Amino acid sequence: MNMKLMKLAALTLCGSLLLTACGEANSAEEPPSNENGMANISWMNILHAPSPPTDTVLSKIEEVTQTNIDFAWVPDSSKEERINTSLASDSLADIVSLTMLENSSVRNALKAGVFWEVSSYLDEFPNLAAISQDMRNSASIEGKLYGIPMQKDVARNGVIIRKDWLDTLGLSVPQTTDELMEVAKAFTEQDPDGNGVKDTTGFIDRSDLVFGAFKTLGSYFGTPSSWAVSDDGKVTPEFETEGYVKTMDFMKQLYEGGYINQSFAVTAKSDQQQGFSQGKAGIYVGALFDSKNLLNSAKGVQDNMELVMVNDITSTGNKSDRAIWSTSNGVGGLLAFPKSEVKDEQELKRILQFVNDVMSEEVYTLMTYGIEGIHYSMNEDKSVTIINQKLWEQEVQPFASSRPKEPGYEVHDNDPLKTEAGRLIQDNATFAVLNPLYSLESDTYSSQGSELQKIITDATYKYILGDINLDEFKQQVQRWRKSGGDQIISEYEAAYKAVNS
């Protein structure tokens, strides 16, 4: 093993993790493949599980891809420090999973040409060629694609409602925001759990204007995803749009009517989910796949709970107005290839072939469910049942962060609620509103954006809670502009023009 990989191994071991290795990694001194013709590829990857996987599934992946894979696992909790250190010391691998594209060290390395620019190669490989242009644009830095986009769900949010409560009160599944308000009112005032006590609310929310209810509701009122850009390149922040104000008014009405937990502005996510599972409220807005966990948590407490998920609510009643915000345009990061490790075009193409193969249904199934008969059983409809949960957690679950693509496969979980959530999330992609500035950079936003956002967050909550009026909210927007917001807008407009001119 060469010095660079020794450094990489040392970095990994210092986090009390074993370096899962199979075969020797490529280096300038070593051949690109072993005597059996299998390529040697090293991969610096993020680990979200307590420990790396055993070799059981890895061996199958290697067999399918005809590759000896040398994983260097970096724990998620220390990924920023590790990646920064590895970039500074040039102790990388053939493939580096970069999940923090907003990190300044990562962006600077990408712009400095540390990694291969791969745009011109994607269409040579069928699975890479299928990556949409929107995805490629969103994952690009200053118009250049320095790796394979890690494809996540583009838009996963919606509304989860107690169907048993709807049935008890004779209500239909809401299709508009007005109908959603009526359901919230009924769940609060009409004793949907039948216990004779007024102890329920419609909504239960948490202190989070992004992943809580606010941003999803904002989509229904036409709010853009963080920023809007006009045809002439003018940038407008979401909180200066009519949709944002309508969303605040909707939340304000919920609060004043008592149709939402009155402490939502200071409620933690765990308390929100626990409250829903305990039957304190009947409407949860968030990730649609939360439904299964909510139902599981309700067992023994709310055994009659039935849930329905809704992803097509509009404020107008016109389905052509359907929209749902996107967190990161579906980009989970990049699989990047350092020029210091991947020496030439021939080696790059072999690694791209490997990534293409990892995106196959067969390898996705291995990385998600494991080996049939050992970890799971499969039904005729390609639904999967895990047959050994503990073994799956040890040998399969750690590979979840290695999947270059997550949505769009036939194989799926056999749980009906999870299957339906997956279907609706896929459906969301058609109506997703992307952030047009996601891949662009503003120095002021990078250095001051978080602090400036607090001005808007505080003002939004104060408006909803009735502490300030609309004019006072707009005064806070002007404060944001004068404190650096105008500079952010100017920088984003220049960056947008540079890429789109």
Side-chain angles (χ1 to χ4, degrees):
M1 185 176 289
N2 64 21
M3 185 59 67
K4 290 178 181 177
L5 287 179
M6 288 175 66
K7 290 179 183 176
L8 183 57
L11 280 171
T12 307
L13 286 169
C14 77
S16 300
L17 284 174
L18 295 177
L19 182 63
T20 305
C22 184
E24 292 298 315
N26 275 334
S27 73
E29 294 79 24
E30 295 168 342
S33 60
N34 63 15
E35 60 274 12
N36 296 322
M38 294 176 69
N40 297 310
I41 292 178
S42 58
W43 188 346
M44 188 177 186
N45 202 3
I46 309 301
L47 182 71
H48 293 273
S51 59
T54 62
D55 287 350
T56 309
V57 174
L58 176 61
S59 297
K60 285 288 185 181
I61 296 171
E62 291 179 326
E63 180 183 325
V64 173
T65 61
Q66 285 295 289
T67 307
N68 292 314
I69 310 168
D70 185 359
F71 273 114
W73 296 102
V74 177
D76 182 65
S77 60
S78 59
K79 64 184 177 185
E80 188 157 9
E81 177 186 353
R82 293 291 186 82
I83 294 296
N84 287 346
T85 301
S86 296
L87 286 169
S89 61
D90 194 24
S91 51
L92 299 166
D94 298 328
I95 303 173
V96 181
S97 295
L98 299 175
T99 59
M100 308 171 297
L101 297 185
E102 74 284 357
N103 177 282
S104 58
S105 296
V106 170
R107 293 187 75 92
N108 289 338
L110 291 167
K111 290 188 292 185
V114 171
F115 299 93
W116 282 86
E117 207 281 332
V118 300
S119 302
S120 60
Y121 300 101
L122 298 195
D123 291 341
E124 298 179 29
F125 307 89
N127 292 329
L128 304 185
I131 299 173
S132 71
Q133 192 59 51
D134 278 341
M135 178 66 69
R136 299 183 195 194
N137 292 342
S138 296
S140 295
I141 306 296
E142 295 184 344
K144 294 185 177 181
L145 187 61
Y146 294 105
I148 304 302
M150 300 176 73
Q151 300 173 72
K152 304 287 187 180
D153 293 314
V154 177
R156 63 189 187 186
N157 284 40
V159 182
I160 300 169
I161 305 175
R162 288 287 297 261
K163 184 180 183 300
D164 53 318
W165 287 11
L166 290 174
D167 293 344
T168 295
L169 301 180
L171 298 171
S172 300
V173 175
Q175 297 297 302
T176 67
T177 49
D178 285 345
E179 292 173 1
L180 186 61
M181 181 67 72
E182 288 303 312
V183 168
K185 181 179 180 182
F187 281 0
T188 305
E189 298 177 347
Q190 296 182 27
D191 192 24
D193 58 359
N195 67 353
V197 181
K198 190 176 180 180
D199 58 354
T200 59
T201 61
F203 281 77
I204 188 164
D205 196 27
R206 62 181 184 262
S207 179
D208 188 338
L209 292 178
V210 179
F211 297 103
F214 188 84
K215 205 166 181 70
T216 296
L217 292 172
S219 298
Y220 305 152
F221 289 103
T223 310
S225 286
S226 301
W227 304 90
V229 181
S230 64
D231 291 340
D232 60 356
K234 296 298 182 184
V235 168
T236 302
E238 61 180 352
F239 44 83
E240 289 191 4
T241 65
E242 182 182 3
Y244 194 94
V245 175
K246 287 182 177 179
T247 308
M248 290 197 299
D249 286 336
F250 186 89
M251 293 284 288
K252 184 180 177 71
Q253 186 179 347
L254 289 175
Y255 179 74
E256 291 178 345
Y259 312 148
I260 190 171
N261 54 314
Q262 297 293 282
S263 61
F264 77 94
V266 293
T267 297
K269 179 180 179 179
S270 58
D271 293 332
Q272 175 204 21
Q273 295 185 335
Q274 185 179 46
F276 186 90
S277 296
Q278 291 173 345
K280 295 180 180 179
I283 303 172
Y284 175 100
V285 183
L288 289 164
F289 55 64
D290 286 344
S291 56
K292 182 179 179 181
N293 293 333
L294 293 171
L295 191 64
N296 286 341
S297 298
K299 289 177 180 177
V301 183
Q302 294 279 306
D303 286 329
N304 295 324
M305 180 183 285
E306 292 181 57
L307 300 178
V308 61
M309 293 170 285
V310 194
N311 74 336
D312 59 354
I313 292 174
T314 65
S315 60
T316 63
N318 189 340
K319 292 305 178 186
S320 65
D321 292 329
R322 271 189 67 180
I324 184 67
W325 68 283
S326 179
T327 319
S328 57
N329 297 0
V331 179
L334 289 173
L335 296 182
F337 318 109
K339 293 176 181 176
S340 60
E341 304 294 327
V342 183
K343 299 297 185 181
D344 54 36
E345 191 178 61
Q346 181 180 355
E347 192 175 347
L348 174 65
K349 287 187 176 183
R350 178 60 187 90
I351 293 172
L352 289 174
Q353 179 65 58
F354 166 75
V355 176
N356 178 84
D357 295 344
V358 170
M359 290 172 63
S360 69
E361 182 105 13
E362 184 176 6
V363 178
Y364 171 82
T365 303
L366 285 168
M367 286 184 163
T368 306
Y369 301 109
I371 301 169
E372 188 171 9
I374 297 177
H375 304 103
Y376 72 88
S377 60
M378 183 178 288
N379 302 312
E380 289 184 5
D381 64 350
K382 287 213 150 188
S383 64
V384 167
T385 302
I386 301 299
I387 57 178
N388 190 326
Q389 182 70 22
K390 186 174 181 180
L391 193 64
W392 176 85
E393 289 174 359
Q394 293 172 344
E395 299 185 344
V396 185
Q397 189 178 25
F399 283 110
S401 59
S402 304
R403 298 172 299 189
K405 178 188 173 189
E406 293 182 9
Y409 294 95
E410 285 189 70
V411 62
H412 60 278
D413 195 286
N414 77 326
D415 181 87
L417 208 56
K418 193 169 181 180
T419 299
E420 177 65 2
R423 186 188 71 79
L424 294 177
I425 289 170
Q426 280 293 97
D427 183 48
N428 272 351
T430 305
F431 305 94
V433 179
L434 304 183
N435 176 358
L437 304 182
Y438 176 73
S439 67
L440 303 181
E441 200 168 347
S442 156
D443 289 339
T444 306
Y445 184 83
S446 297
S447 61
Q448 300 180 43
S450 296
E451 285 300 313
L452 290 174
Q453 182 58 40
K454 291 178 182 178
I455 297 173
I456 302 302
T457 299
D458 290 346
T460 300
Y461 278 122
K462 286 179 179 178
Y463 181 88
I464 294 170
L465 299 177
D467 296 333
I468 62 174
N469 59 30
L470 185 57
D471 284 340
E472 290 169 317
F473 174 81
K474 290 180 178 179
Q475 288 172 14
Q476 292 303 303
V477 172
Q478 290 305 308
R479 179 185 161 206
W480 174 88
R481 277 184 166 271
K482 293 175 181 177
S483 301
D486 279 335
Q487 185 64 26
I488 290 173
I489 290 173
S490 177
E491 289 168 0
Y492 270 136
E493 286 178 345
Y496 186 85
K497 182 178 179 181
V499 172
N500 292 278
S501 57

